[in-house]
Amino acid sequence: MQFGIFSVGDVTPDPTTGRTPTERERIKAMVAIALKAEEAGLDVFATGEHHNPPFVPSSPTTMLGYIAARTERLVLSTATTLITTSDPVKIAEDFAMLQHLADGRVDLMLGRGNTAPVYPWFGQDIRQGIPLAVENYALLHRLWREEGVDWEGKFRTPLQGFTATPRPLDGVPPFVWHGSIRSPEIAEQAAFYGDGFFHNNIFWPADHTRRMVELYRARYAHHGHGTPEQAIVGLGGHVFMRRNSQDAVREFRPYFDVAPVYGHGPSLEDFTEQTPLTVGTPQQVIEKTLAFREYAGDYQRQLFLVDHAGLPLKTVLEQIDLLGEEVVPVLRKEFAVGRPADVPEAPTHAARLARAQG
């Protein structure tokens, strides 16, 4: 099972000091977070994609290429690649290039994002969000697997005999996770292709997550890719830890209250009760994360959000140290207990290449 960090890349004032980092500082902080994740023994670093303030990661492959040059083991991913407003040809070429530079340590999570104005900025209509996701991925899927592609669809100009370059490393395309918070159509899309389904459940109660994951698993089996238990599932999570739970709550509360993702809404207490957010001790994080398996089954990837809402970099790096030293080693051991032998591990380039070679 893989454990890692995902970042939304927000530039938010620290509510305790009033200071706002510069864009350069925030970008450099994201790099430092990725390097710390590898140092701490985590498996994955994922960055979001945004094209509007207060977020900075508008070019994920640029950032991940830079991180690839400074790491050796870390899987580099996206927390969202905007399949609806990005050209599938550009996605195909950018991520194949990144694959080569990173020696295969690359996958990506496709999504529609959560910012409505991005659609007209890139010449699209938000009312076509689902059809765009379906059509664009159908093309992307072919571009990585075929040369001389002929294509005609609704949302982009036709292609005649087009070959995306470079070709995927070793002839094995990057593994794709389809990310969705609430859309069953995206769970169906992931199941149809036999790809991974990532439910970023940080906003949602367990019952909703259970329904989405069960739908994906059932449809994965329906399309002939394996049993429901063999489907590839990833989950989000959000943690803030201190040795004493009261200290964690007291320190994190001002950041929670103004967070650009969910601030100015439910109270911290309500949110931690109803969603996967855990604010407390490392042991509390372990217990709540292990409970995810009760409603999602045995899954393959767990990503934690630890760095938004203006938290100082020093504090974020402390969170990653706690994950690496006290939380993830226990989770690895406990998640392995009782895991059926036929439940696959998280896909890696090496494993997928070996399977392709028979």
Side-chain angles (χ1 to χ4, degrees):
M1 185 166 174
Q2 293 176 336
F3 296 90
I5 299 297
F6 74 97
S7 175
V8 296
D10 61 306
V11 179
T12 305
D14 184 329
T16 67
T17 66
R19 185 181 184 277
T20 304
T22 65
E23 290 180 325
R24 179 181 184 277
E25 288 172 331
R26 187 64 173 102
I27 292 167
K28 293 288 189 178
M30 292 175 69
V31 172
I33 289 163
L35 301 183
K36 172 62 78 170
E38 176 160 285
E39 177 189 315
L42 304 186
D43 306 302
V44 182
F45 172 78
T47 172
E49 178 187 349
H50 297 276
H51 299 276
N52 58 291
F55 305 99
V56 293
S58 58
S59 181
T61 52
T62 303
M63 173 174 284
L64 295 178
Y66 181 77
I67 294 170
R70 302 187 61 185
T71 55
E72 297 180 355
R73 185 185 54 80
L74 200 65
V75 175
L76 307 171
S77 186
T78 52
T80 304
T81 293
L82 297 176
I83 187 64
T84 46
T85 52
S86 299
D87 184 357
V89 172
K90 192 72 169 96
I91 295 175
E93 296 188 332
D94 281 353
F95 280 88
M97 176 68 77
L98 181 58
Q99 250 197 329
H100 287 272
L101 292 172
D103 299 321
R105 296 182 289 123
V106 173
D107 57 37
L108 69 162
M109 186 192 309
L110 300 179
R112 292 178 293 139
N114 59 5
T115 307
V118 74
Y119 285 82
W121 294 340
F122 289 88
Q124 301 295 351
D125 183 344
I126 191 172
R127 294 171 295 183
Q128 299 297 321
I130 294 292
L132 276 162
V134 171
E135 180 177 300
N136 283 353
Y137 183 60
L139 174 55
L140 175 60
H141 190 268
R142 289 186 59 190
L143 290 169
W144 274 334
R145 290 163 175 83
E146 302 175 27
E147 298 183 13
V149 172
D150 294 326
W151 169 266
E152 185 170 352
K154 179 179 178 181
F155 298 109
R156 77 172 320 280
T157 54
L159 297 174
Q160 293 183 344
F162 180 80
T163 299
T165 59
R167 303 305 298 152
L169 178 65
D170 301 318
V172 178
F175 185 76
V176 170
W177 301 83
H178 298 259
S180 179
I181 296 175
R182 61 187 177 273
S183 301
E185 296 92 340
I186 302 304
E188 168 65 23
Q189 184 182 41
F192 177 81
Y193 288 99
D195 296 335
F197 178 63
F198 191 93
H199 186 65
N200 193 2
N201 53 323
I202 63 172
F203 303 105
W204 293 89
D207 284 347
H208 176 79
T209 301
R210 183 199 309 274
R211 289 192 297 271
M212 291 289 287
V213 171
E214 287 181 350
L215 170 64
Y216 161 67
R217 290 188 183 278
R219 298 300 294 172
Y220 181 95
H222 170 82
H223 290 296
H225 301 297
T227 67
E229 293 76 21
Q230 291 172 325
I232 308 298
V233 174
L235 296 179
H238 187 187
V239 299
F240 186 85
M241 295 172 284
R242 289 302 183 205
R243 302 292 180 188
N244 180 287
S245 61
Q246 293 178 335
D247 291 340
V249 170
R250 182 173 57 252
E251 184 175 347
F252 187 66
R253 187 184 300 280
Y255 297 95
F256 174 88
D257 288 345
V258 301
V261 210
Y262 48 51
H264 313 286
S267 70
L268 176 58
E269 286 73 17
D270 286 345
F271 211 82
T272 52
E273 180 182 353
Q274 297 172 22
T275 79
L277 174 64
T278 311
V279 181
T281 65
Q283 183 59 37
Q284 287 175 305
V285 170
I286 290 168
E287 292 172 0
K288 193 161 187 178
T289 305
L290 287 174
F292 295 174
R293 185 164 58 175
E294 296 174 5
Y295 53 85
D298 288 288
Y299 60 108
Q300 284 73 22
R301 176 174 286 185
Q302 175 65 57
L303 299 184
F304 295 104
L305 177 63
V306 297
D307 76 324
H308 81 134
L311 284 165
L313 178 59
K314 176 177 180 295
T315 301
V316 173
L317 299 182
E318 291 168 352
Q319 298 298 304
I320 297 174
D321 276 333
L322 287 170
L323 283 172
E325 294 168 5
E326 300 190 29
V327 174
V328 167
V330 177
L331 291 177
R332 288 193 198 280
K333 179 179 178 181
E334 293 298 323
F335 273 120
V337 173
R339 188 181 183 95
D342 62 342
V343 172
E345 293 297 324
T348 63
H349 181 78
R352 297 174 69 228
L353 176 59
R355 187 163 56 251
Q357 293 175 338

